[in-house]
């Protein structure tokens, strides 16, 4: 079996996004970028499936700017076997829409024929939470989103999903798309020897044009603005002060 | 313009609050038709018919639509989509699971987590954990949207629309429901509660989290948790408030032992009144709190419970 794992290069989880003064977007120039945290979990899960003998090969794919090479090298250092980069943007500020990404991924799936696609549930930049579901629709495959547990056996995957109010377990026929949630696993750090080895693993570079897919945006970004800010209120000296304020000033209890 | 709202169904019941808030957003766009897809959910359809602003309810009742499986439900929505200018669902785990699939079946972009409607083509949505608000204009013929319910007020339940049963014959061999593990609780639902009490890493353990639950019960509140508390195993994930959890906007939000990472603030900063209790006076949560109390939570919370009792 083969697993395909899409990974996205995004602003580092610990960096606060700042809106550009001209309202054209979020400033990403000279900002620390990393692999989307959910995608790290997806890579880790694929590696664990390989270690458990369920799959033989892990292919990592990234779509975006050329610098996404670094993200793929991280995936390779963690344990992916080879990587495919689809260069589809030349400016780091250009974010491809999930529909366009899903179309490109479909083209990759068509040629690679994986048995399972394991993806992050959401990218922490555009917060769309959509690419996995869209890819599943385009392929006509079943989807198991927000996985907190994944069990792969003969021809199917049993997935426990994080849903509102608790957990849901479903079974999907392979090939399928699984999108992963936070509690599925804790991703490993790449060791230095593995980082060195990853430099020799194959990384194939393509462009969006190679696939003949229309990736023009459907959404025009009109403006990007700062959210309304909240100012700090008052410090209260005691629990009694707090209760008094909540009762008499705010009137909420 | 006619807008289709995919109702949120829990089991056989209508999730009234989330559906009513989505209808509220849909009303701004046109005439509203609600689709209830499930099994044995005729009562849910009747409940949806009472939502103000709904002109018609479509009922698709079939065992294949049980448990919110995405494949048959997305296909159903896509099959009837051509009659509508917009398709909306609440941005719940279920809505976010199904609607992107619908959008791709229709070859249109999904517009996720819409928090504001500018006009029929133009929508506001938070990005980067709410650190920016993006206004987008859609060029697609059908707009497929999930609605951030905390940004819209629920419509009243004084309507009386008709219910039309759709003739359906769904096929689904791809996915199968096995079980749900949901905890029955007498507490209000997190995303619609008037008061939310949340605990963070500072609570220290799963056992200590009972203190947060006791405070919540004293206030008739829902219980929330920061990602740090969930990751540490203090609280279940469905209590998580934040960028990757639930978004809440109650009248009163009490953050206990929560430092206030940006990812947490993304899920609660639209609350009307925010109270922070934390022993670290430099915790970022105090920068958004209306009332801040620098105190050891193990002293302050029991005192607060008895003061409210």
């Amino acid at each position: 079996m083969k697993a395909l794992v899409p990974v996205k290069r995004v602003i580092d989880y610990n960096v606060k996004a700042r809106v550009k003064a001209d309202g054209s977007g979020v400033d990403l120039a000279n900002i620390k970028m990393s692999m989307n945290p959910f995608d790290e979990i997806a890579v880790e899960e694929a590696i664990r499936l390989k270690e458990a003998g369920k799959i033989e090969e892990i292919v990592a794919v990234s779509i975006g700017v050329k610098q996404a090479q670094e993200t793929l090298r991280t995936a390779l250092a963690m344990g992916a076997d080879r990587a495919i980069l689809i260069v589809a943007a030349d400016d780091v500020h250009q974010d491809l829409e999930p529909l366009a990404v899903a179309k490109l991924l479909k083209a990759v799936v068509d040629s690679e024929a994986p048995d399972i696609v394991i993806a992050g549930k959401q990218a922490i930049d555009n917060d769309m939470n959509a690419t996995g579901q869209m890819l599943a629709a385009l392929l006509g495959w079943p989807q198991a989103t927000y996985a907190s547990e994944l069990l792969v056996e003969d021809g199917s995957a049993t997935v426990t999903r994080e849903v509102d109010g608790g957990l849901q377990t479903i079974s999907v026929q392979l090939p399928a798309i699984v999108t992963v949630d936070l509690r599925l696993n804790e991703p490993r750090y790449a060791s230095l020897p593995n980082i060195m080895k990853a430099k020799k693993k194959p990384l194939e570079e393509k462009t969006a044009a190679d696939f003949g897919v229309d990736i023009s945006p459907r959404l025009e970004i009109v403006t990007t603005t700062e959210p309304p800010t909240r100012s700090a209120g008052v410090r209260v000296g005691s629990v009694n002060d707090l209760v008094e304020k909540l009762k008499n000033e705010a009137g909420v209890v | 313009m006619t807008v289709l709202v995919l109702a949120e169904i829990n089991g056989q019941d209508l999730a009234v609050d989330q559906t009513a808030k989505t209808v509220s957003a849909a009303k701004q766009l046109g005439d509203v038709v609600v689709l209830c897809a499930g099994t044995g959910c005729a009562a849910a359809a009747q409940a949806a018919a009472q939502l103000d602003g709904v002109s018609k309810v479509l009922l698709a009742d079939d065992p294949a639509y049980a448990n919110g499986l995405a494949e048959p439900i997305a296909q159903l929505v896509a099959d009837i989509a051509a009659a509508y200018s917009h398709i909306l669902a609440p941005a719940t785990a279920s809505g976010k699971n199904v609607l992107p699939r619908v959008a791709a079946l229709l070859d249109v972009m999904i517009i996720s987590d819409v928090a504001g409607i500018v006009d029929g083509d133009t929508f506001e949505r938070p990005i980067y954990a709410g650190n920016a608000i993006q206004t987008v204009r859609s060029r697609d013929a059908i707009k497929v949207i999930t609605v951030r319910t905390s940004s819209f007020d629920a419509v009243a339940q004084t309507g009386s629309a008709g219910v039309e049963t759709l003739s359906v014959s769904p096929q689904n061999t791809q996915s199968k429901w096995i079980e749900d593990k949901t905890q029955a609780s007498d507490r209000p639902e997190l995303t619609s509660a008037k008061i939310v009490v949340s605990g963070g890493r500072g609570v220290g353990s799963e056992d200590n989290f009972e203190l947060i639950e006791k405070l919540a019960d004293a206030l008739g509140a829902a219980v929330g948790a920061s990602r740090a508390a969930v990751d540490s195993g203090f609280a279940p994930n469905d209590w998580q408030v934040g960028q990757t959890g639930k978004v809440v906007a109650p009248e009163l939000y009490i953050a206990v032992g929560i430092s206030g990472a940006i990812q947490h603030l993304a899920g609660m900063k639209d609350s009307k009144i925010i109270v922070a209790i934390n022993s670290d006076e430099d915790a970022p949560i105090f920068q958004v709190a209306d009332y801040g109390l620098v105190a050891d939570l193990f002293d302050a919370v029991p005192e607060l419970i008895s003061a409210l009792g």
Side-chain angles (χ1 to χ4, degrees):
Chain A
M1 293 227 309
K2 187 198 277 190
L4 191 78
V5 184
V7 295
K8 185 176 184 183
R9 180 181 186 265
V10 298
I11 191 168
D12 187 81
Y13 182 74
N14 292 307
V15 176
K16 188 179 190 303
R18 306 231 173 253
V19 173
K20 288 197 271 188
D22 64 0
S24 64
V26 164
D27 193 359
L28 295 175
N30 305 314
I31 296 282
K32 185 182 179 202
M33 305 292 276
S34 299
M35 189 191 297
N36 181 44
F38 290 100
D39 303 350
E40 282 185 343
I41 297 171
V43 174
E44 175 67 33
E45 195 63 16
I47 296 167
R48 290 186 189 192
L49 285 172
K50 190 179 170 190
E51 287 168 347
K54 301 281 186 186
I55 56 172
E56 287 87 44
E57 190 185 28
I58 303 166
V59 182
V61 189
S62 195
I63 300 171
V65 290
K66 207 170 164 81
Q67 294 92 313
Q69 267 186 7
E70 296 155 23
T71 314
L72 287 169
R73 290 287 172 206
T74 303
L76 293 170
M78 286 174 74
D81 296 297
R82 59 188 174 88
I84 301 169
L85 171 66
I86 303 176
V87 178
D90 47 20
D91 178 348
V92 291
H93 294 96
Q94 196 184 340
D95 186 38
L96 237 58
E97 291 174 353
L99 180 63
V101 173
K103 286 182 174 180
L104 288 168
L105 287 174
K106 180 185 182 291
V108 174
V109 168
D110 287 344
S111 67
E112 290 285 336
D115 303 277
I116 190 167
V117 176
I118 307 176
K121 76 160 179 178
Q122 146 180 10
I124 60 163
D125 50 4
N126 65 35
D127 282 336
M128 278 280 186
N129 188 336
T131 302
Q133 298 90 311
M134 295 188 114
L135 176 60
L138 297 179
L139 289 165
W141 288 8
Q143 66 188 52
T145 51
Y146 324 140
S148 66
E149 217 182 310
L150 169 61
L151 207 72
V152 173
E153 56 233 316
D154 304 331
S156 73
T158 304
V159 181
T160 300
R161 308 176 53 234
E162 306 267 14
V163 295
D164 298 340
L167 299 171
Q168 179 184 63
T169 305
I170 63 170
S171 162
V172 288
Q173 299 236 302
L174 296 180
I177 312 284
V178 176
T179 78
V180 306
D181 216 319
L182 289 174
R183 294 195 301 172
L184 183 62
N185 62 49
E186 206 160 301
R188 69 194 65 192
Y189 290 102
S191 66
L192 190 59
N194 285 343
I195 292 171
M196 300 311 290
K197 266 191 248 166
K199 292 184 176 161
K200 297 203 176 80
K201 288 185 179 176
L203 194 160
E204 188 184 356
E205 200 175 303
K206 302 199 165 209
T207 66
D210 294 341
F211 296 95
V213 169
D214 176 16
I215 56 166
S216 53
R218 306 297 186 84
L219 303 178
E220 173 198 348
I221 296 166
V222 182
T223 57
T224 305
T225 55
E226 294 269 2
T229 52
R230 245 193 124 98
S231 45
V234 297
R235 296 284 171 104
V236 293
S238 69
V239 167
N240 284 337
D241 283 356
L242 174 62
V243 172
E244 194 276 323
K245 298 262 191 210
L246 290 178
K247 281 189 171 153
N248 302 323
E249 196 175 273
V252 287
V253 296
Chain B
M1 293 205 289
T2 308
V3 182
L4 182 69
V5 169
L6 178 63
E8 177 87 2
I9 308 279
N10 287 334
Q12 301 187 324
D13 303 324
L14 184 72
V16 174
D17 186 73
Q18 279 139 353
T19 307
K21 286 172 176 169
T22 307
V23 167
S24 166
K27 268 174 73 175
Q28 298 182 35
L29 297 164
D31 199 27
V32 181
V33 173
V34 175
L35 170 65
C36 290
T39 185
C41 61
Q46 287 302 334
Q50 287 171 19
L51 297 175
D52 254 7
V54 174
S55 65
K56 185 166 72 177
V57 175
L58 303 175
L59 171 61
D61 206 306
D62 191 283
Y65 300 134
N67 308 301
L69 290 176
E71 297 79 12
I73 296 177
Q75 191 59 55
L76 166 71
V77 177
D79 286 345
I80 63 171
Y84 304 96
S85 59
H86 300 75
I87 298 171
L88 274 61
T92 54
S94 170
K96 289 177 180 179
N97 185 37
V98 173
L99 250 54
R101 190 174 177 107
V102 171
L105 290 174
L106 299 173
D107 191 26
V108 304
M109 245 306 274
I110 178 78
I111 312 172
S112 305
D113 244 342
V114 164
I117 294 169
V118 179
D119 60 41
D121 302 322
T122 316
F123 308 94
E124 295 171 351
R125 56 181 304 270
I127 54 172
Y128 289 89
N131 282 301
I133 307 294
Q134 198 168 64
T135 304
V136 294
R137 187 178 297 128
S138 171
R139 300 183 172 113
D140 285 319
I142 302 176
K143 280 81 178 165
V144 180
I145 294 167
T146 59
V147 174
R148 175 168 283 214
T149 52
S150 62
S151 301
F152 296 89
D153 294 324
V155 296
Q157 297 170 62
T158 52
S160 57
V163 176
E164 182 186 320
T165 302
L166 296 177
S167 149
V168 288
S169 49
Q171 301 293 323
N172 178 24
T173 53
Q174 292 189 311
S175 60
K176 200 171 67 194
W177 173 81
I178 296 174
E179 64 170 344
D180 283 343
K181 277 190 201 151
T182 48
Q183 283 218 305
S185 168
D186 294 336
R187 296 194 186 106
E189 201 266 320
L190 187 54
T191 56
S192 56
K194 294 266 184 287
I195 304 178
V196 174
V197 180
S198 287
R201 200 197 302 271
V203 177
S205 73
E206 189 178 0
D207 289 344
N208 290 346
F209 222 84
E210 266 179 40
L211 196 56
I212 303 299
E213 299 182 52
K214 277 185 192 153
L215 177 56
D217 291 339
L219 288 159
V223 184
S226 68
R227 177 179 164 186
V230 171
D231 281 354
S232 307
F234 303 169
N237 186 61
D238 54 294
W239 289 2
Q240 192 194 145
V241 172
Q243 181 185 21
T244 59
K246 296 195 170 78
V247 178
V248 302
E251 301 280 306
L252 173 61
Y253 188 90
I254 304 182
V256 182
I258 291 178
S259 63
I262 49 175
Q263 291 83 3
H264 184 73
L265 301 184
M268 45 65 81
K269 66 185 167 57
D270 294 330
S271 304
K272 196 163 151 235
I273 299 287
I274 297 173
V275 171
I277 301 173
N278 202 303
S279 56
D280 174 9
E281 62 177 281
D282 297 322
I285 189 79
F286 287 121
Q287 291 163 20
V288 299
D290 298 282
Y291 303 113
L293 176 62
V294 179
D296 185 329
L297 70 95
F298 298 104
D299 298 328
V301 173
E303 207 183 321
L304 187 54
I305 294 169
S306 66
L308 293 163

